[in-house]
């Protein structure tokens, strides 16, 4: 682990914040408390929050089958051929039966080719695959299910997924360093992401300001900072300013 940052918040106030190591190995750049990091699957709670905003607005129902919003899922079935509807709630709780892997996505996916794809394109591919199990009978972590949820958010809100998150979550909570891309003026604050394979350390993501982002990855596309993540987490506590009602 080349570097890391730490933030401790108590009752809505930051009481300690530290950074360790480097955010890039060569050339060495020290990790700072405001270094922007790829937050990977921490994106999923943001996706779920956006969906719950639509529930509060009466545009989305947790226990409705997803085919109500995306008709291409009307024939979902297991490998055995038994048809099963999947609900929005099951998408959010990893109990949908939708396979874990994201179709069309390569192992090293921080490329312009992947960013050129759309949620609709990936979701159509997901709809063609059989379920791993009958929905609601098991819990298996799925990276693909959030894509379906993200597309439902687009369809029900009438806005691109990233735009809805910006207006309903990022801006109300003043998450100024959170988004699906790193602005050119902030690239020097971004951490390089490394991946170790067969004892070899390789670059998984070094943000390229030339990338044009169409694919927003509801399962793990966000970049953020500890301060923004803390504000987001605090929004769910009674003393925090929230984007969802306490009910």
């Amino acid at each position: 682990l080349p570097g890391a940052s730490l933030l401790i918040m108590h009752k809505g106030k930051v009481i300690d914040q530290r950074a360790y190591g480097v955010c890039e190995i060569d050339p060495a750049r020290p990790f700072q408390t405001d270094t922007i990091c790829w937050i990977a699957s921490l994106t999923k709670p943001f996706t779920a929050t956006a969906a719950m905003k639509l529930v509060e607005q009466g545009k989305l129902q947790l226990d409705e089958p997803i085919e109500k919003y995306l008709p291409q899922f009307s024939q979902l079935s297991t490998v055995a051929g038994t048809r099963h509807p999947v609900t929005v709630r099951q998408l959010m709780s990893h109990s949908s039966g939708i396979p874990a892997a994201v179709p069309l996505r390569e192992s090293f996916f921080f490329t312009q080719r992947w960013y050129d794809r759309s949620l609709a394109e990936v979701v159509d591919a997901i709809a063609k695959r059989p379920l791993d199990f009958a929905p609601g009978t098991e819990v298996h972590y799925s990276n693909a299910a959030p894509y379906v949820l993200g597309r439902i958010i687009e369809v029900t809100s009438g806005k691109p997924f990233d735009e809805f998150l910006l207006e309903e979550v990022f801006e109300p909570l003043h998450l100024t360093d959170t988004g699906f891309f790193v602005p050119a003026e902030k690239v020097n604050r971004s951490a390089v992401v490394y991946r170790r394979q067969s004892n070899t350390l390789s670059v998984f993501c070094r943000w390229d300001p030339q990338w044009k982002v169409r694919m927003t990855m509801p399962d793990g596309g966000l970049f953020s900072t500890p301060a923004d993540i803390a504000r987001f987490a605090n929004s769910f506590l009674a003393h925090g300013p929230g984007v969802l009602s306490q009910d």
Side-chain angles (χ1 to χ4, degrees):
L1 183 66
S5 55
L6 166 73
L7 183 147
I8 300 173
M9 177 178 280
H10 181 64
K11 294 184 178 180
K13 295 183 179 180
V14 176
I15 60 174
D16 198 5
Q17 194 168 7
R18 304 178 187 182
Y20 306 88
V22 296
C23 65
E24 184 173 9
I25 296 174
D26 186 18
R29 284 190 294 126
F31 227 108
Q32 306 291 344
T33 55
D34 67 345
T35 293
I36 297 171
C37 303
W38 175 49
I39 65 170
S41 284
L42 282 178
T43 303
K44 291 179 175 71
F46 285 89
T47 302
T49 299
M52 292 306 297
K53 283 294 294 184
L54 290 167
V55 171
E56 288 191 344
Q57 295 169 5
K59 298 178 180 178
L60 186 63
Q61 302 295 321
L62 290 176
D63 295 312
E64 289 282 1
I66 61 176
E67 65 193 68
K68 174 180 177 179
Y69 310 100
L70 301 174
Q72 62 266 49
F73 285 90
S74 63
Q75 299 301 315
L76 278 179
S77 62
T78 60
V79 175
T82 306
R83 185 183 174 281
H84 295 277
V86 169
T87 67
V88 174
R89 189 187 300 273
Q90 289 164 341
L91 287 178
M92 297 171 68
S93 60
H94 296 284
S95 61
S96 67
I98 289 175
V102 178
L104 309 178
R105 186 166 77 177
E106 299 173 353
S107 178
F108 281 76
F109 50 78
F110 282 102
T111 65
Q112 187 59 64
R113 180 167 59 180
W114 172 245
Y115 275 133
D116 281 342
R117 294 193 180 275
S118 67
L119 286 185
E121 187 179 5
V122 172
V123 166
D124 284 347
I126 293 171
K128 296 175 183 177
R129 300 191 303 183
L131 298 171
D132 280 347
F133 53 86
T137 63
E138 300 181 35
V139 176
H140 287 191
Y141 192 85
S142 173
N143 280 324
Y147 283 78
V148 182
L149 187 60
R151 181 59 181 153
I152 289 173
I153 290 168
E154 290 189 328
V155 169
T156 54
S157 70
K159 298 178 180 179
F161 175 61
D162 57 326
E163 183 179 322
F164 186 80
L165 268 176
L166 177 67
E167 294 177 0
E168 299 291 344
V169 182
F170 303 160
E171 288 181 343
L173 293 177
H174 306 290
L175 308 184
T176 57
D177 285 327
T178 301
F180 289 100
F181 67 95
V182 181
E185 66 273 16
K186 296 182 180 182
V187 169
N188 63 344
R189 288 174 47 204
S190 64
V192 176
V193 182
Y194 297 92
R195 174 182 283 184
R196 186 176 296 278
Q197 289 184 314
S198 303
N199 295 320
T200 300
L201 197 66
S202 56
V203 172
F204 184 59
C205 176
R206 177 182 280 109
W207 185 260
D208 185 344
Q210 298 301 313
W211 284 337
K212 305 298 181 185
V213 178
R214 184 188 185 200
M215 167 54 66
T216 45
M217 291 192 282
D219 70 323
L222 283 176
F223 295 81
S224 190
T225 61
D228 274 10
I229 294 295
R231 277 191 287 272
F232 175 66
N234 188 60
S235 73
F236 295 97
L237 303 177
H239 56 263
V243 294
L244 297 176
S245 71
Q246 292 296 325
D247 298 334

